[in-house]
């Protein structure tokens, strides 16, 4: 049930990092942004709208529901025949535009650069902010094609792109641009110089998620997350649920940093390399299934509402 709904670990990070990205894009520090929530995404959207009127604040700010568990579900999922269909040329234009937006002379790229300069917080928080900027800038590129800035739309876009990369005679060109986007993200936001060809294989990503799933199913992890829940401010309803899911994701990212060490992916650079590899292999069925089941078990143990369940 949930394997299709888990888009990427990067997009889970967006839910936790979108507020931080908002503050960074406006010139604030990640340290000061550590307690921000979705309201800042609205103001961030306003900054982006001044750059290109094709993406209005109201449209971009709709990516905020990521904060409320859209990593697994959307309130009104689109049917497959309602999803905008993109041609090869459309995909090529989108990846090129996205590369431009991530450039150092663009506001999105400037936000990534500020993340690199601000070392007042740990790599997990910085990754959250960078992932948010990456996804918001991608939503900005997709908006003129009829995609709404929500998780389902981003997933449908990625699935279409993967298919065209496999089946089109020039699909390799798009795959190269995809890799270039990730190289820019890693370099601009973290100063990590990745090789042109990914040296973290799909097999490694699958194994890492297998180890991560086992760690997420332990009493030790459950106690760690509940302790973090206890430190949250007193809220109720959807806001409380969103904050708990954000906290859960942060704990998962911490585990990923530990798991990465088993594959010689150590320190900040190793963490970023693993995250980038997970992004590259985000539509792999085995990885998505493993991640989905791990989150499902975690939600059950932690007594969180399982997204999509009625």
């Amino acid at each position: 049930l949930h394997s299709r709904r888990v888009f990427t670990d990067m997009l889970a990070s967006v839910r936790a990092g979108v507020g931080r990205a908002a503050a960074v894009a406006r010139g604030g520090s990640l340290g000061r942004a550590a307690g921000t929530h979705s309201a800042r995404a609205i103001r961030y959207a306003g900054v982006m709208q001044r750059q290109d009127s094709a993406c209005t604040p109201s449209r971009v700010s709709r990516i905020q529901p990521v904060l409320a568990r859209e990593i697994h579900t959307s309130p009104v999922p689109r049917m497959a025949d309602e999803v905008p269909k993109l041609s090869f040329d459309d995909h090529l234009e989108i990846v090129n535009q996205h590369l431009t937006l991530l450039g150092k002379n663009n506001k999105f790229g400037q936000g990534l650069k500020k993340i690199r300069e601000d070392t007042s917080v740990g790599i997990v928080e910085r990754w959250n902010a960078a992932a948010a900027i990456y996804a918001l800038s991608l939503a900005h590129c997709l908006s003129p094609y009829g995609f709404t800035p929500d998780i389902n739309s981003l997933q449908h876009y990625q699935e279409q792109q993967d298919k065209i990369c496999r089946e089109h005679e020039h699909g390799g060109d798009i795959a190269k641009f995809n890799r270039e986007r990730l190289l820019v993200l890693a370099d601009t936001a973290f100063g990590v110089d990745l090789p042109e060809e990914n040296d973290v294989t799909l097999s490694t990503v699958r194994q890492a998620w297998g180890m991560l799933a086992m760690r997420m199913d332990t009493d030790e992890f459950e106690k760690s997350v509940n302790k973090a829940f206890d430190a949250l401010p007193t809220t109720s309803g959807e806001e409380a649920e969103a904050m708990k899911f954000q906290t859960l994701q942060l704990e998962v990212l911490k585990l990923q940093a530990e798991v990465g060490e088993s594959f010689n992916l150590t320190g900040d650079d190793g963490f970023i390399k693993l995250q980038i590899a997970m992004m590259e292999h985000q539509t792999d069925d085995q990885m998505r299934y493993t991640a989905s089941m791990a989150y499902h078990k975690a939600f059950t143990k932690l007594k969180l509402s399982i997204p999509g369940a009625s």
Side-chain angles (χ1 to χ4, degrees), residues 214-233:
M214 288 190 289
R215 295 280 298 274
M216 289 173 65
D217 197 27
T218 61
D219 292 340
E220 180 183 1
F221 181 72
E222 181 182 358
K223 290 176 182 177
S224 175
V225 176
N226 278 322
K227 182 177 179 181
F229 285 174
D230 291 340
L232 292 174

Side-chain angles (χ1 to χ4, degrees), residues 6-239:
V6 176
F7 176 35
T8 68
D9 202 54
M10 179 274 290
L11 288 173
S13 299
V14 174
R15 176 196 40 73
V18 68
R20 294 172 178 82
V24 170
R26 294 195 313 276
S29 73
L30 280 169
R32 291 196 302 273
T36 58
H37 299 294
S38 61
R40 291 198 173 183
I42 300 174
R43 298 195 287 275
Y44 179 81
V47 173
M48 295 304 113
Q49 191 265 348
R50 290 197 295 274
Q51 179 183 314
D52 187 341
S53 59
C55 207
T56 65
S58 61
R59 296 190 75 180
V60 176
S61 64
R62 287 168 63 186
I63 204 168
Q64 292 174 79
V66 177
L67 287 158
R69 301 166 296 147
E70 278 215 15
I71 181 63
H72 293 282
T73 188
S74 178
V76 186
R78 288 184 173 197
M79 300 302 291
D81 58 356
E82 297 176 341
V83 178
K85 298 297 189 295
L86 299 173
S87 67
F88 173 83
D89 288 341
D90 290 336
H91 281 287
L92 200 59
E93 176 62 28
I94 288 167
V95 293
N96 272 288
Q97 184 185 5
H98 197 202
L99 262 172
T100 300
L101 290 184
L102 295 173
K104 295 180 181 179
N105 295 324
N106 186 277
K107 286 187 181 296
F108 287 106
Q110 287 296 314
L112 294 177
K113 185 178 178 182
K114 290 188 176 91
I115 291 170
R116 180 174 178 174
E117 295 169 349
D118 189 348
T119 58
S120 62
V121 295
I123 190 64
V124 168
E125 286 77 11
R126 292 163 63 204
W127 171 256
N128 277 334
I133 290 174
Y134 187 93
L136 284 165
S137 56
L138 177 57
H140 178 93
C141 297
L142 293 175
S143 178
Y145 294 87
F147 286 87
T148 55
D150 55 49
I151 294 302
N152 270 348
S153 286
L154 292 173
Q155 178 173 334
H156 285 308
Y157 159 72
Q158 189 62 50
E159 289 172 348
Q160 285 190 50
Q161 187 191 80
D162 285 354
K163 182 178 180 180
I164 210 163
C165 283
R166 291 193 308 269
E167 299 178 358
H168 196 278
E169 59 178 331
H170 299 300
D173 294 341
I174 294 176
K176 289 178 182 177
F177 280 119
N178 278 337
R179 179 66 178 172
E180 183 64 25
R181 285 191 291 184
L182 299 178
L183 294 177
V184 169
L185 173 65
D187 178 53
T188 307
F190 305 101
V192 176
D193 186 16
L194 296 176
E196 290 189 10
E197 296 293 331
N198 192 354
D199 56 356
V200 181
T201 65
L202 173 59
S203 175
T204 296
V205 170
R206 287 173 171 174
Q207 290 180 61
W209 255 111
M211 293 176 63
L212 187 64
M214 288 190 289
R215 295 280 298 274
M216 289 173 65
D217 197 27
T218 61
D219 292 340
E220 180 183 1
F221 181 72
E222 181 182 358
K223 290 176 182 177
S224 175
V225 176
N226 278 322
K227 182 177 179 181
F229 285 174
D230 291 340
L232 292 174
T234 302
T235 54
S236 60
E238 291 185 1
E239 182 181 3

Side-chain angles (χ1 to χ4, degrees), residues 267-287:
D268 290 358
D269 285 13
F271 175 80
I272 295 303
K273 288 178 181 179
L274 180 58
Q275 296 304 313
I276 294 295
M278 287 181 172
M279 288 173 66
E280 282 202 296
H281 300 298
Q282 59 196 358
T283 57
D284 176 67
D285 287 340
Q286 182 176 323
M287 189 197 81

